């Protein structure tokens, strides 16, 4: 009897969310989803301020790939600087950020069979004249990465001429198709980490973001 009641309440409790349903449908059909205004301009400003505070504290270090000794090689592949976020020590801005991400993760776990148990996010700054060459996010890092999530924190009025566009290399019926995504503030791009090759084109102006991965197992 109790079990039945509980079950009923759980069913009533579930409210379909059109935004999340759109994301799920996009990923199922095209392996990526681009969401405009996932974060409001106010939220973006709060996250950007948190990022800049930490950057000024010098908390960032050069993003490394593989062997840290080969820094020049690394620089020829990626030039961003990153700072990993620690949810257990979140400041108010980061709490706001993770609340919104966790709502999405909980929804995905309720409605899909992704089994996302872990996540990892970092702030990223691409200084002028940096880029990230074509790559796949599970390349040498972590095959538990299931979905990549990129959140853009640039100022309003970011121009395409600033560069730094994300290019997704999609496969449409055996043909490679380039999907160009400008890093406009509030936008969030979610894509399948194990499938989608992508790159960040050179930037002419400092480019700000939070990037993360939703992971299985
Ligand atoms: C990455 C990455 C894309 C972007 O950090 O692995 O591909 O648009 N970022 O910042
Ligand atoms: Mn990547």
């Amino acid at each position: 009897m109790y079990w039945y009641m509980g079950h009923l309440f759980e069913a009533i409790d579930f409210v379909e969310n059109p935004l999340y349903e759109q994301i799920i449908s996009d990923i199922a059909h095209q392996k990526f989803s681009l969401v405009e205004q996932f974060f409001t301009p106010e939220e973006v400003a709060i996250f950007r301020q948190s990022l800049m505070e930490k950057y000024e504290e010098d908390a960032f270090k050069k993003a490394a790939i593989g062997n840290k000794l080969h820094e020049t090689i690394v620089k020829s592949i990626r030039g961003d600087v990153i700072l990993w976020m620690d949810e257990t020590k979140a400041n108010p801005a980061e709490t706001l950020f993770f609340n919104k991400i966790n709502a999405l993760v909980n929804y995905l776990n309720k409605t899909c069979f992704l089994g996302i148990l872990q996540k990892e996010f970092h702030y990223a700054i691409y200084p002028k004249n940096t880029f990230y060459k074509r790559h796949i996010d599970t390349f040498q890092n972590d095959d538990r990465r299931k979905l990549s999530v990129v959140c853009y924190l640039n100022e309003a009025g970011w121009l395409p001429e600033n560069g730094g566009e994300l290019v997704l290399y999609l496969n449409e019926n055996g043909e490679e198709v380039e999907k160009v995504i400008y890093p406009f503030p509030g936008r969030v791009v979610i894509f399948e980490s194990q499938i989608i090759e992508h790159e960040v084109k050179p930037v002419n102006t400092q480019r700000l973001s939070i990037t993360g991965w939703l992971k299985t197992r």
Side-chain angles (χ1 to χ4, degrees), residues 53-85:
E53 273 168 20
K54 284 163 190 286
Y55 191 50
E56 276 148 29
E57 285 165 13
D58 235 8
F60 283 58
K61 59 178 190 331
K62 287 258 173 300
I65 59 154
N67 191 334
K68 284 180 186 176
L69 290 172
H70 296 101
E71 210 181 308
T72 47
I73 299 172
V74 170
K75 267 198 188 149
S76 69
I77 298 169
R78 70 185 289 187
D80 57 330
V81 288
I82 66 161
L83 177 68
W84 287 100
M85 297 166 86

Side-chain angles (χ1 to χ4, degrees), residues 78 80 82 122 124 126 132-133 135-137 141 145 148-152 164-168 181 183 189 191 198-201 207-213:
R78 70 185 289 187
D80 57 330
I82 66 161
H122 64 57
Y126 286 76
Y132 195 155
K133 285 263 159 71
H135 67 282
I136 197 155
D137 283 344
N141 270 306
R145 288 177 171 181
S148 303
V149 181
V150 192
C151 314
Y152 298 113
E165 60 269 39
L166 170 68
V167 180
L168 303 180
I181 298 171
V189 189
F191 58 89
H198 56 282
E199 77 173 293
V200 178
K201 295 289 188 180
R207 174 192 193 266
L208 312 176
S209 58
I210 294 175
T211 300
W213 293 272

Side-chain angles (χ1 to χ4, degrees), residues 4 49 75 77 85 101 130 140 155-156 158 166:
Y4 184 70
Q49 194 185 334
K75 267 198 188 149
I77 298 169
M85 297 166 86
I101 294 295
T130 59
Q140 52 161 8
E155 302 261 6
W158 177 271
L166 170 68

Side-chain angles (χ1 to χ4, degrees), residues 115-175:
I116 296 158
L117 299 173
Q118 282 184 43
K119 59 188 183 302
E120 54 189 8
F121 281 84
H122 64 57
Y123 294 106
I125 298 182
Y126 286 76
K128 189 173 156 66
N129 296 327
T130 59
F131 49 81
Y132 195 155
K133 285 263 159 71
R134 182 169 173 163
H135 67 282
I136 197 155
D137 283 344
T138 50
F139 163 53
Q140 52 161 8
N141 270 306
D142 197 337
D143 64 2
R144 292 171 303 175
R145 288 177 171 181
K146 185 74 192 157
L147 292 176
S148 303
V149 181
V150 192
C151 314
Y152 298 113
L153 306 184
N154 296 307
E155 302 261 6
W158 177 271
L159 300 170
E161 302 92 276
N162 295 348
E165 60 269 39
L166 170 68
V167 180
L168 303 180
Y169 295 96
L170 307 173
N171 185 312
E172 286 178 12
N173 312 312
E175 292 244 326

